[in-house]
């Protein structure tokens, strides 16, 4: 048996005819799942008055408390150009407060307002609804997350090596 280019001992050769099939592309499966999640979250977050990216910001603040814009961006893997408009809209909605650091004027601290903190209790319905909508068990979701974390790390390393 000949080994196809790119084959490894734990990744057998795949016939060329199969390589470019859409339904064999992991990226497409992830894309389709991401779109399905996006549609679900759009509906689930309507009652909270949040978009999905705003919800992610709120999750970080509910979990970790006040954060600098830089720290928020790091946790969410977003640059400040993407994050700043989100934060402005959350501030206009009365959910967060942006304040320049007294120690470093270049740094902006983001913290929840009372209204933002209170929204947390209502937001508990979202992850419970997602779990129910997936039809997966908690163990299956945790396993999927572990695989996705490994995939993200591996692709990040591969991109850096290029």
């Amino acid at each position: 048996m000949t080994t196809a280019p790119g084959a490894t001992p734990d990744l057998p050769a795949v016939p060329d005819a199969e390589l470019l099939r859409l339904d064999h592309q992991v990226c497409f499966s992830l894309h389709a799942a991401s779109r399905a999640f996006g549609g679900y979250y759009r509906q689930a977050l309507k009652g909270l008055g949040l978009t999905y990216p705003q919800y992610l910001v709120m999750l970080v603040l509910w979990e970790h408390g006040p954060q600098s814009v830089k720290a928020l961006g790091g946790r969410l893997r977003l640059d400040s150009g993407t994050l700043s408009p989100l934060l402005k809209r959350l501030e206009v909605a009365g959910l967060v407060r942006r304040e320049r650091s007294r120690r470093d004027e270049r740094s902006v601290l983001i913290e929840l307002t009372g209204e933002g903190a209170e929204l947390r209790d209502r937001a508990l319905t979202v992850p419970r609804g997602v779990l129910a909508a997936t039809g997966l068990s908690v163990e299956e979701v945790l396993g999927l997350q572990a695989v996705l974390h490994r995939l993200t790390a591996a692709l990040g390393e591969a991109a850096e090596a290029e």
Side-chain angles (χ1 to χ4, degrees):
M1 179 171 143
T2 61
T3 303
T8 64
D10 54 333
L11 181 65
V14 177
D16 285 351
E18 298 294 312
L19 281 175
L20 296 178
R21 288 183 49 153
L22 181 62
D23 61 342
H24 288 185
Q25 305 303 308
V26 174
C27 60
F28 184 72
S29 297
L30 288 170
H31 173 73
S34 178
R35 288 182 54 87
F37 267 105
Y40 180 86
Y41 273 98
R42 213 172 357 272
Q43 292 303 312
L45 295 171
K46 253 185 198 173
L48 299 177
L50 296 174
T51 63
Y52 180 70
Q54 291 170 339
Y55 174 67
L56 296 179
V57 168
M58 297 301 288
L59 287 173
V60 171
L61 295 173
W62 289 327
E63 183 178 354
H64 299 285
Q67 301 279 299
S68 69
V69 172
K70 183 177 181 177
L72 264 173
R75 288 185 189 278
L76 297 172
R77 297 183 177 102
L78 294 173
D79 61 56
S80 62
T82 302
L83 191 53
S84 290
L86 287 172
L87 296 172
K88 286 179 184 175
R89 286 192 296 276
L90 287 169
E91 186 175 40
V92 167
L95 300 175
V96 302
R97 200 173 10 260
R98 295 182 309 151
E99 192 174 299
R100 290 235 172 252
S101 169
R102 292 183 187 121
R103 284 185 289 178
D104 180 357
E105 286 289 317
R106 297 169 296 176
S107 180
V108 176
L109 188 67
I110 308 300
E111 62 183 336
L112 293 167
T113 62
E115 187 178 343
E118 288 172 9
L119 187 61
R120 183 184 180 279
D121 289 338
R122 289 182 33 225
L124 288 170
T125 61
V126 176
R128 289 182 177 135
V130 169
L131 185 59
T134 66
L136 300 174
S137 69
V138 171
E139 293 78 19
E140 288 173 312
V141 169
L142 293 174
L144 177 59
Q145 284 177 316
V147 169
L148 290 172
H149 287 303
R150 286 196 335 256
L151 177 64
T152 301
L155 290 174
E157 290 173 14
E160 288 176 10
E162 292 284 317

